Amino acid sequence: MIFVTKVICMKFTSNPLFRFEKYVGFYISICLSALGQNAFCQTTFSEVSLESGINYAMNSINLFGGGAAFFDYNNDDNLDLYVTGGNTREDILFEGDGAGNFTNVTAAAQLGFTANLITYGVTTGDIDNDGDRDLFLCTGYGSKSALLINNGDGTFTDMSETAGFNDEDRHKHGAVFGDVNLDGFLDIYITSWVDEFKLIKNAANETIGYAHICFANLLYINNGDLTFTEMADAYGVDDIGCGLVPAFSDYDNDSDMDAMAVNDFGVWVEPNGLYRNEYPLDTFSNVGASSNMNQAMYGMGVAIGDYDHDMDLDYYFTSIDSNFFMQNQGNGQFDNIAKDLGVEDDTLFGTTIVKTSWGTAFMDVDNDSYQDLYVADGKVGVFIPNANNDPNKLYLNNGAGGFEDISAAAGVDDEGMSRAMIYGDYDNDGDLDIFVVLARKDTTIDAHSLLYRNELSNENNWIKIDLEGIKSNRDGFGAHLQFFVDGDSWLYEVDGGSSYRSQHQTTAHIGLGSSETVDSVIVIWPGGNTQRMYDLAANQKVLILEDTTSNGTGQKSIWNKTQSLKVIPNPNSGEFTLSYSNSSGNSAIIRVLDLQGRVLFTQNSKSMNRGKSNVFVSVPNLKTGLYIVELESGSEKYVSKILINGK
């Protein structure tokens, strides 16, 4: 058993003898344990939003706050940041340089029109499989859901009018990407909130409960041609529980995406929903009651992770009053162990104040291989007059089945009106940083969202893994990664959106502790295609390309991120240009294959000069659909998906 003592940290940030500069985020923390032993703080954070170029808060009348996403919009391998503006300002796209600095590029990206929308939740995904991350925005009453296609040149095009969205009649809070029918295209699940407010009154005309009527959730199935068809009712996921947050997660490890609906007012209207995907049937089964996941709460957010290294996924739900930690029992059942673990983050006993939690995440902040837990807390005074100013929480996983609250010692216990939170390694230093969205009632309040830079001081190792699907969706959303390191093993799921109104970085960031090698990693793609890689060195980022042609026992599908193939345009009519880096100067062989790996077209090109090369391809008589293009030049091989709008 590992015991973690309470730690008190004193940050010396003003003593002139030490010349500490907050603008470079450098400080020394001296920690004293409760046992009187000296120790060093290994996990601390510096709040660096303003010096990093981020000055943002949503002026939220209803105090729901905005959403955020860490993603790489320009494919430079650095994390960028998107934040929503609500009904008072435009959304903002911050471009990251990978060294800790952000620049507002909203105008250059042609996103200024978002000032005319009511935007709340945001998620990203490559909906057309062209290699660029597109944006999906949840909107309020009067606005259709917004689909913004990445043009690959730093700009976006609004496709909302032609995409097939007819949902301007409702308030859409959160969305998640996932391929529910395993056709290789990302679908979208959206939670819908209250339609008609109804209060339950007592004889004294005092409100004692709620009987709200809520809009049904939406499921947009991707047609593969930049249009979608709403099919929530047909698939059986039209949950009417005043949803705030949706999630796709393969809770039963059968390689398809199950659905979750995290519901507000669940105590009164409808508890949380869990829907098992019955693929190959185009339907889901409601298993909320049989699994014990139909917990009645004021559901706000969800975290997904294998916290206990038992190779199945556990779930943490945030709420008003007390949060829920649903431990996976491995048999389709879940138990709430939040109280046992000390992570209820509940209202103070014996008081009348009320605590509210929002965004949350399992994340390994100290790279010890065990996922820690972050919770963004923030009052809702307009609805709950006696709400408390609650500090945000960081619970450190001790690797022995327990957690320790290190919020104050780590410097992340802000008491502002926190809402969404996301994590990502924005400065590329090998540890996970945190961004917290703050809400404020009006512009007179000096409050801005928080960027916490991880100042991790231990020597633990890590590895980052990106996926690129070929038969599966290009982002690899829904894939399971099984890690085997020095006799230990655990599971990681590539998530298409969770937390609250937000999306964490989708690159898998895996702490390894003192281990310098991953003995093996098994990738289980959506649909069950499995491949195994061996002996991956620590402290690097690798891209794993889905192998659809072998039994997946080798390492041939690990590719350097810089060895990318660009298809211009994509989608196309069968005529396109392949742009790639030619290091050999050899001639190239181009093949077009169907998703079953059958070669439909072959073209030989002449020898090229070393450097960036462009090859024009004209493929005749292919039907509209998704295909694979391969380019071989010497020992180099490049693979990408293409969407052809043919005959």
Side-chain angles (χ1 to χ4, degrees):
M1 178 88 53
I2 298 175
F3 296 93
V4 180
T5 60
K6 183 178 181 180
V7 176
I8 302 172
C9 294
M10 298 177 290
K11 299 178 182 177
F12 297 91
T13 57
S14 59
N15 190 331
L17 296 176
F18 294 94
R19 304 176 67 87
F20 294 141
E21 296 286 302
K22 68 177 182 178
Y23 293 105
V24 295
F26 177 78
Y27 59 80
I28 295 177
S29 298
I30 298 178
C31 302
L32 305 175
S33 74
L35 299 177
Q37 298 175 341
N38 293 327
F40 291 100
C41 286
Q42 294 186 336
T43 306
T44 58
F45 291 79
S46 297
E47 203 295 294
V48 297
S49 56
L50 297 183
E51 56 252 47
S52 297
I54 300 172
N55 187 1
Y56 167 86
M58 175 186 278
N59 302 318
S60 178
I61 298 174
N62 293 321
L63 302 185
F64 284 116
F70 272 135
F71 75 120
D72 182 8
Y73 90 98
N74 55 1
N75 285 330
D76 65 352
D77 215 23
N78 298 317
L79 283 181
D80 311 300
L81 173 66
Y82 192 96
V83 291
T84 59
N87 56 358
T88 62
R89 63 182 299 176
E90 68 183 11
D91 297 0
I92 301 178
L93 175 63
F94 294 100
E95 181 180 6
D97 65 358
N101 306 300
F102 289 91
T103 302
N104 187 337
V105 295
T106 309
Q110 300 180 12
L111 293 169
F113 69 91
T114 58
N116 301 318
L117 302 175
I118 304 172
T119 57
Y120 296 120
V122 56
T123 191
T124 76
D126 189 355
I127 68 105
D128 50 3
N129 291 312
D130 67 346
D132 301 308
R133 280 291 179 91
D134 310 300
L135 286 162
F136 183 84
L137 306 176
C138 296
T139 58
Y141 300 111
S143 298
K144 294 182 178 182
S145 296
L147 178 64
L148 312 182
I149 296 298
N150 193 327
N151 298 318
D153 59 0
T155 66
F156 292 82
T157 298
D158 182 12
M159 303 291 291
S160 308
E161 289 301 318
T162 59
F165 305 140
N166 295 294
D167 51 18
E168 58 267 34
D169 62 337
R170 66 191 63 195
H171 191 107
K172 292 81 64 182
H173 262 281
V176 60
F177 279 122
D179 184 6
V180 301
N181 55 5
L182 298 178
D183 64 351
F185 291 98
L186 290 175
D187 311 301
I188 310 170
Y189 190 43
I190 305 171
T191 48
S192 302
W193 202 54
V194 177
D195 178 15
E196 183 178 350
F197 292 88
K198 290 189 174 184
L199 306 180
I200 302 173
K201 304 269 189 178
N202 61 15
N205 201 36
E206 298 169 330
T207 299
I208 60 173
Y210 306 95
H212 302 328
I213 298 174
C214 299
F215 287 106
N217 292 345
L218 303 167
L219 176 63
Y220 286 113
I221 298 298
N222 192 333
N223 299 318
D225 59 358
L226 300 181
T227 68
F228 293 78
T229 302
E230 204 290 302
M231 300 186 70
D233 178 58
Y235 274 79
V237 291
D238 52 337
D239 192 283
I240 54 171
C242 310
L244 287 183
V245 175
F248 282 133
S249 181
D250 183 12
Y251 82 94
D252 53 1
N253 291 331
D254 64 351
S255 302
D256 55 35
M257 300 304 295
D258 309 301
M260 292 182 181
V262 183
N263 292 331
D264 198 5
F265 303 105
V267 176
W268 305 96
V269 180
E270 191 78 18
N272 289 351
L274 175 61
Y275 299 90
R276 185 181 65 217
N277 194 334
E278 303 294 356
Y279 180 84
L281 302 176
D282 290 336
T283 188
F284 288 74
S285 297
N286 188 343
V287 295
S290 61
S291 65
N292 196 39
M293 287 286 273
N294 64 333
Q295 299 292 315
M297 64 180 73
Y298 296 90
M300 302 294 185
V302 59
I304 304 169
D306 178 14
Y307 91 99
D308 50 2
H309 285 202
D310 64 352
M311 301 297 277
D312 55 35
L313 295 171
D314 312 291
Y315 302 89
Y316 184 81
F317 296 102
T318 55
S319 179
I320 295 175
D321 191 30
S322 297
N323 300 335
F324 291 66
F325 196 117
M326 305 305 296
Q327 184 186 52
N328 196 330
Q329 303 303 304
N331 58 356
Q333 301 289 308
F334 294 83
D335 291 338
N336 180 19
I337 60 170
K339 186 175 182 180
D340 297 334
L341 295 178
V343 295
E344 283 185 298
D345 191 18
D346 56 348
T347 296
L348 296 177
F349 179 76
T351 68
T352 59
I353 58 179
V354 179
K355 182 275 320 169
T356 305
S357 299
W358 303 82
T360 184
F362 286 116
M363 52 181 298
D364 187 359
V365 299
D366 57 355
N367 284 339
D368 68 347
S369 84
Y370 284 90
Q371 290 190 310
D372 312 299
L373 178 63
Y374 190 86
V375 184
D377 289 336
K379 69 177 182 180
V380 192
V382 69
F383 296 118
I384 308 174
N386 58 333
N388 189 30
N389 286 329
D390 306 298
N392 298 334
K393 300 292 195 303
L394 176 58
Y395 298 102
L396 196 68
N397 190 331
N398 64 19
F403 289 88
E404 180 75 12
D405 184 354
I406 64 166
S407 314
V412 294
D413 57 337
D414 184 83
E415 295 187 356
M417 296 173 62
S418 297
R419 293 296 183 263
M421 66 79 48
I422 54 176
Y423 65 74
D425 184 11
Y426 78 94
D427 53 0
N428 292 325
D429 64 349
D431 52 45
L432 290 174
D433 312 294
I434 299 170
F435 180 73
V436 181
V437 176
L438 263 64
R440 58 187 180 189
K441 295 175 71 174
D442 55 60
T443 57
T444 65
I445 299 175
D446 184 17
H448 58 82
S449 296
L450 307 171
L451 179 64
Y452 288 112
R453 183 179 62 211
N454 195 334
E455 307 287 2
L456 187 63
S457 61
N458 65 31
E459 297 183 355
N460 287 341
N461 299 307
W462 50 269
I463 193 169
K464 300 179 185 181
I465 293 179
D466 276 329
L467 300 181
E468 184 173 320
I470 301 298
K471 184 179 180 180
S472 306
N473 68 88
R474 186 179 179 107
D475 296 310
F477 291 165
H480 280 190
L481 305 179
Q482 297 179 344
F483 290 89
F484 299 86
V485 181
D486 288 345
D488 197 4
S489 59
W490 63 93
L491 177 66
Y492 184 95
E493 182 173 72
V494 181
D495 183 13
S498 60
S499 188
Y500 169 77
R501 288 183 164 183
S502 299
Q503 185 183 54
H504 312 295
Q505 74 168 35
T506 56
T507 297
H509 182 108
I510 308 299
L512 300 176
S514 59
S515 300
E516 297 181 353
T517 303
V518 177
D519 298 323
S520 67
V521 56
I522 298 175
V523 183
I524 305 173
W525 296 88
N529 182 29
T530 300
Q531 51 193 115
R532 183 190 293 265
M533 277 63 65
Y534 298 92
D535 299 325
L536 301 182
N539 305 324
Q540 65 164 330
K541 183 176 182 179
V542 299
L543 176 68
I544 300 180
L545 183 73
E546 184 178 14
D547 183 0
T548 62
T549 61
S550 75
N551 60 10
T553 58
Q555 293 193 50
K556 71 177 187 178
S557 296
I558 298 181
W559 303 86
N560 190 298
K561 186 74 170 178
T562 62
Q563 293 181 336
S564 58
L565 179 70
K566 187 74 173 178
V567 182
I568 306 169
N570 194 11
N572 58 73
S573 62
E575 293 187 344
F576 52 89
T577 297
L578 299 179
S579 180
Y580 68 105
S581 177
N582 189 345
S583 62
S584 65
N586 292 322
S587 60
I589 301 174
I590 296 99
R591 304 181 186 90
V592 176
L593 304 84
D594 63 16
L595 296 182
Q596 286 70 49
R598 294 174 294 199
V599 178
L600 307 177
F601 172 84
T602 300
Q603 175 178 313
N604 295 308
S605 71
K606 63 181 181 180
S607 297
M608 301 284 183
N609 294 325
R610 288 184 174 87
K612 186 176 182 179
S613 297
N614 297 301
V615 179
F616 177 76
V617 181
S618 179
V619 186
N621 303 320
L622 284 185
K623 296 180 179 179
T624 296
L626 186 65
Y627 298 88
I628 300 166
V629 60
E630 294 182 347
L631 186 150
E632 279 192 58
S633 179
S635 62
E636 298 170 345
K637 184 178 180 181
Y638 307 87
V639 183
S640 181
K641 285 184 178 180
I642 56 172
L643 179 60
I644 294 180
N645 296 320
K647 299 182 180 181

